[in-house]
Amino acid sequence: KMPIPDTTGRFLTDLKKIISLHASCGIDSYPLTPELRDFFRKALPRPQSISKNPKVTASPSPRYRKKEMDKEPLVTSSLMDIRQQLGDCTRCDLHENRSGIMFGRGSQEAELFIISEYPNIVDDAEGLLFSGPDGDLLAKMLAAINLDMEQVYLGSIVKCRASAEKPPNSKEVAACLPFLMAQIAAVSPKVICTMGTLAAHVLLKSKQPLIRLRGRWRQLNGIPLMATFHPSYLLKNQEMKKAAWQDLQTIQNRLKE
Ligand code: SF4
């Protein structure tokens, strides 16, 4: 087997990280622009320079240094920057049982930012927030207001798997929340919709039952926020679908303004 030169190995590792970062942001294909072609031309090491000077190695990208990863996200960052700052996060105990970080998905241009509570076991297995029956119902709810999953941005209070039996504690929420807030600033949506009690309680700093929080406009950093039920709750409590439908219609009307 031919040994892989250091620089090539590093390039392939970085490329893999960038592609998985893009995938987590919902980007799965790339147009071959002159810039992209130029990037590959410059980034790929030239075989002759490796063979002439095998000891030359570039210093590791500062992007992945531990100190950088520990920084809080900058509110002015793009989604991609925020994902990079999150890194392979171990800021709270939830990292121990996750298969992967569910950063969020959808469009950076979204007018509607939907905030769930946490990725569940199905999301964790599928590697995608709002997978399984919850996601199917959410897709139907969005279709009812002429939107699809790609037109909105989907995020969650914490980005690693939790469950109704063991929901995220306040320490875990506090560790993850700055990244969600930075994502909201990056997307700058017209409307925020929280789904589920935890999401409403955390973002509205309230302990009132969701039934009292929903159905009325609230504010988060100047952005109108509507709290409603989580699809997983609606699947078990069909009688609440009417109230959720009213919340969605209110959101639709606001988006039209
Ligand atoms: Fe990091 Fe958030 Fe996962 Fe905790 S839940 S480990 S803060 S990404």
Side-chain angles (χ1 to χ4, degrees):
K1 266 191 180 175
M2 284 273 289
I4 298 175
D6 238 1
T7 44
T8 308
R10 193 174 307 116
F11 171 74
L12 291 174
T13 306
D14 281 353
L15 186 61
K16 207 171 146 196
K17 283 179 182 170
I18 290 168
I19 290 171
S20 75
L21 167 67
H22 285 182
S24 73
C25 296
I27 301 167
D28 57 10
S29 62
Y30 308 84
L32 187 57
T33 59
E35 290 78 8
L36 190 60
R37 196 178 288 121
D38 197 37
F39 163 75
F40 279 111
R41 193 174 53 75
K42 285 181 186 156
L44 279 168
R46 289 189 200 121
Q48 63 270 33
S49 65
I50 292 167
S51 60
K52 272 184 192 166
N53 190 6
K55 284 183 186 162
V56 173
T57 53
S59 56
S61 166
R63 189 185 304 163
Y64 298 111
R65 282 183 196 144
K66 178 93 173 66
K67 269 191 174 175
E68 290 293 311
M69 282 165 53
D70 285 348
K71 277 184 187 169
E72 297 256 305
L74 300 170
V75 286
T76 52
S77 302
S78 69
L79 286 176
M80 223 175 279
D81 291 337
I82 299 161
R83 182 63 188 88
Q84 282 171 359
Q85 288 168 62
L86 186 65
D88 189 20
C89 184
T90 55
R91 290 171 178 83
C92 81
D93 292 345
L94 290 179
H95 81 275
E96 286 168 9
N97 293 320
R98 74 171 182 227
S99 303
I101 294 175
M102 303 295 112
F103 178 68
R105 56 184 281 210
S107 165
Q108 174 140 8
E109 313 299 321
E111 291 194 326
L112 176 58
F113 197 127
I114 294 176
I115 301 171
S116 167
E117 305 173 300
Y118 45 78
N120 63 24
I121 191 165
V122 183
D123 300 337
D124 189 61
E126 295 288 325
L128 203 62
L129 201 58
F130 279 108
S131 300
D134 297 358
D136 293 342
L137 179 56
L138 178 62
K140 283 182 194 158
M141 291 163 77
L142 290 175
I145 57 168
N146 300 320
L147 288 172
D148 62 41
M149 303 275 255
E150 310 309 316
Q151 289 173 297
V152 301
Y153 194 83
L154 306 171
S156 51
I157 297 292
V158 295
K159 303 184 188 309
C160 298
R161 177 182 132 191
S163 65
E165 294 71 40
K166 199 171 180 297
N169 61 36
S170 55
K171 222 169 143 188
E172 290 156 352
V173 168
C176 214
L177 196 58
F179 293 91
L180 175 66
M181 298 310 288
Q183 285 171 285
I184 294 170
V187 174
S188 186
K190 206 167 167 182
V191 170
I192 293 170
C193 173
T194 60
M195 292 189 157
T197 302
L198 178 74
H201 281 180
V202 169
L203 293 178
L204 296 176
K205 296 187 173 67
S206 169
K207 287 284 174 209
Q208 285 192 43
L210 182 55
I211 195 84
R212 294 185 61 187
L213 292 172
R214 61 150 290 274
R216 280 179 48 197
W217 285 113
R218 319 273 171 169
Q219 293 256 327
L220 179 70
N221 295 343
I223 303 170
L225 183 153
M226 176 65 71
T228 194
F229 302 104
H230 194 280
S232 64
Y233 177 84
L234 294 173
L235 285 169
K236 292 178 207 136
N237 300 273
Q238 303 276 338
E239 71 282 5
M240 302 312 285
K241 279 188 174 173
K242 190 176 170 201
W245 169 235
Q246 284 166 352
D247 296 340
L248 285 175
Q249 280 185 314
T250 310
I251 289 171
Q252 186 182 31
N253 291 337
R254 189 75 179 234
L255 288 173
K256 279 187 201 154
E257 280 173 14

